[in-house]
Every structure is written in structure tokens, then in C-alpha cells.
Amino acid sequence: MCGLAPSRVLASLNYSAGGWESATVRVLPTAKIQVVTGATPHGQGHETCWSMIVADKLGVDPADVDVLHSDTAISPLGMDTYGSRSLAVGGVAIDMACDRVIDKARTIAAHQLEAAEADLEYAGGQFTVRGSPDKAMPLAAIAFEAFTAHDLPDGLEPNLEAQVPYDPPNFSWPFGTHVCVVEVDEETGSVDVVKYVAVDDCGNQVNPLIVDGQVHGGVIQGLAQALFEGVVYDDDGNLVTSTLADYMVPAACDVPPLVLDHTVTPSPTNPLGVKGIGEAGTIGSTPAVVNAVVDALRPLGVTDVPMPMSPMRVWEAIRSAGGHS
């Protein structure tokens, strides 16, 4: 499961915090839009995806959306980023905040256009009166009216913004299949990853390029766990793999050809139909690589190779199984 979030479930697990996420969407009188998110990014492309969600929902240019994060003076509310929850919780909160902004804008537009709210249609960043397309009011004008507050409906607060704390009713469940093809040198124990195929389902995709990037990074991380990365201590408990000269991480030359594809099954647990993708590569790749190596060595009597499957460990597994004298 991904989208770690339902606070009541986390309580049953003795988790120290809730699982909700907060978002604020603010339409400024300059027609620019600010998004404040508690889902702090660290390289996943949140700024791009959040801008796309807002632009699609409000009918504006993504370049007019400014995403604010990572500073408690700006965004004091939120639960951060982990458990493949950023989009399924934080992104959904932003989508819901956009809905509330549109609802408030509709009330202001109806007042300004002297029309019933039910008769207004919103598309392309403006409201029009059904049956009278010449009667229209763009979101930018509504935001300015909300800012000046010169002629708002009775009881309506100034400014056009909405804050949403979203606590999902359930997790999301991405799924997929990863297949790895390897060649193993029986004499040296060296493993060559010839081909890697990953087909994942993360529900509706906001940005397919970012999805592919997340899978690329995850697969390579899992491959590294399977073949390279190992924490080693000496007999006195001293860490002997304390630098990148001792702790091996994959370089570009170690990355195999990756073939990616996707199926799209919208999640029924959130209104965007999205699921997590950040951990999909790591979840699928490690067992795929290990199973491929063991399968290659099965004719030699090998049934298991401990991680990381270094050439020495593979070589020892072959000889322990009697594959070579």
C-alpha cells in the first residue's frame, strides 16, 4: 500500500502523528496563484505537478502558479513526504482547495453578473452565464473584486483563497510487474544486467515524464541494493564502509537498459484517482534482480545468494553448491 495517511489507522499502529495533509490555494489580485503545501519535496517534481493540478482545475497557465513549501514560517501545517503519499494526499488536498476557490468565485461572479449560481458555467478560467455567453467574468477579475471587497455578497469574507486539511479515508494500492534478465559469469561471479522491463500502475498520471523518472530512480536504487550496496562492520563494531570509496553505489555505466510501460487503473480511494509511484521501482527491482541471478545459477545447484550479490558472493555460492571444483 501507498499514500500513508488515514490518521485513525496510524493511531492503531501507535504512529506518533496524523496522516492528513494541508494545502492552501490563493488567487492574488495580480491574477497570480500561490499554492502552499505541507508535502515538502526533495527532488520529486512537486512544484511541477502541483502547478499542473492547479492550472488544469482553474484553467490558468502553469507559469502563473507559484508553489511554496519547506519553510514553517510559510507552511506551518503538514506531514511532509514519505510513504508515496505526496500526490495521493498532498496533491488531493490541493485539488480540493481549488474546488473551494471555484465555489467562492462562483458566488462572487453570480453577484457581479446578477445571475443564479446554478446558471454559471466555469471553463477556461472564466465564468459564463448558461445561454448568455456574452455575460462572462474571468477568474482574475473575480480575484480583484475579492481583494478590494467593494461589492461582495453579504457575509462573504474578502480575498479568494481556500485552505484544506485532507485526511484520506483509505490508502492507495499501486501494482505492477518487473522482469529482469541477467547473465552471470561462472568463473568470476560477475553479474551483467542485460535488460530490465517494468510495467507499473499508479492510477491517473499527472506528469508521465516524472512518473518515468521516479521509476528509473527506484529501479536503480533497488538494483544497487541487490548487487552493490552493503554496510560492513569489523569484529569490533567499527563501520568499514563509511565513505563512497568503500560503499559502492551504481554509476551510469552500471545502469542497464530500462523498458518502461504503464497501465492506468484509477484509485477508488481519492477524487484524483492517483496512487503512489516513488517506491514502486525499489519494491519491484530488488527481488526481480535477486531472483534473476538465482534462476541463472539454478542449474548449478544454487538456491540463494545473499545481498549484496557481489562477484565474490556469487562465486562463493557457485562453489558451495558444487558448481565448480
Side-chain angles (χ1 to χ4, degrees):
M1 67 85 186
C2 288
L4 188 64
S7 296
R8 291 182 177 180
V9 173
L10 296 183
S12 70
L13 301 174
N14 294 321
Y15 199 76
S16 60
W20 53 270
E21 193 50 76
S22 178
T24 299
V25 174
R26 181 181 301 125
V27 186
L28 302 177
T30 59
K32 302 298 183 180
I33 297 173
Q34 288 182 343
V35 175
V36 182
T37 177
T40 303
H42 46 259
Q44 307 97 314
H46 287 177
E47 297 92 334
T48 299
C49 288
W50 294 180
S51 296
M52 292 176 67
I53 290 172
V54 173
D56 183 68
K57 203 62 177 281
L58 299 184
V60 299
D61 189 330
D64 290 335
V65 181
D66 188 19
V67 179
L68 308 178
H69 58 79
S70 304
D71 186 340
T72 53
I74 297 171
S75 177
L77 303 176
M79 293 295 157
D80 217 341
T81 300
Y82 51 88
S84 295
R85 70 190 295 275
S86 297
L87 179 58
V89 188
V92 171
I94 291 170
D95 180 72
M96 295 173 69
C98 287
D99 285 334
R100 293 190 186 181
V101 164
I102 293 174
D103 288 342
K104 183 172 182 178
R106 184 185 302 276
T107 299
I108 297 173
H111 178 73
Q112 295 288 329
L113 296 173
E114 297 182 343
E117 291 187 29
D119 292 335
L120 295 184
E121 297 176 337
Y122 187 72
Q126 71 173 1
F127 284 97
T128 56
V129 178
R130 187 180 294 109
S132 301
D134 56 315
K135 297 184 65 176
M137 191 171 188
L139 184 65
I142 297 171
F144 191 77
E145 289 290 342
F147 173 73
T148 62
H150 288 170
D151 185 20
L152 294 180
D154 292 341
L156 196 68
E157 296 178 351
N159 297 309
L160 187 55
E161 67 175 291
Q163 180 186 5
V164 172
Y166 172 60
D167 199 347
N170 211 331
F171 307 111
S172 67
W173 286 270
F175 58 89
T177 299
H178 288 217
V179 179
C180 181
V181 180
V182 302
E183 291 181 353
V184 181
D185 188 322
E186 300 175 37
E187 300 297 328
T188 65
S190 175
V191 176
D192 180 25
V193 180
V194 178
K195 187 175 183 180
Y196 194 97
V197 179
V199 179
D200 289 286
D201 193 315
C202 61
N204 293 328
Q205 297 184 16
V206 174
N207 187 309
L209 183 63
I210 288 179
V211 170
D212 283 353
Q214 291 281 288
V215 175
H216 271 96
V219 167
I220 295 166
Q221 181 65 57
L223 181 146
Q225 179 181 345
L227 298 178
F228 306 135
E229 298 179 0
V231 176
V232 180
Y233 295 88
D234 63 18
D235 292 339
D236 296 321
N238 298 309
L239 181 65
V240 297
T241 52
S242 57
T243 72
L244 293 181
D246 310 301
Y247 183 89
M248 186 176 178
V249 296
C253 60
D254 299 309
V255 178
L258 301 180
V259 179
L260 305 185
D261 205 350
H262 307 276
T263 59
V264 177
T265 308
S267 171
T269 62
N270 64 74
L272 285 180
V274 296
K275 310 170 188 175
I277 191 63
E279 296 166 295
T282 59
I283 293 170
S285 59
T286 308
V289 174
V290 172
N291 288 341
V293 172
V294 173
D295 184 66
L297 300 178
R298 197 178 307 278
L300 303 179
V302 175
T303 59
D304 184 39
V305 180
M307 296 189 302
M309 298 182 296
S310 63
M312 176 61 76
R313 286 186 172 180
V314 174
W315 185 85
E316 290 174 342
I318 292 172
R319 275 141 189 82
S320 296
H324 285 279
S325 58

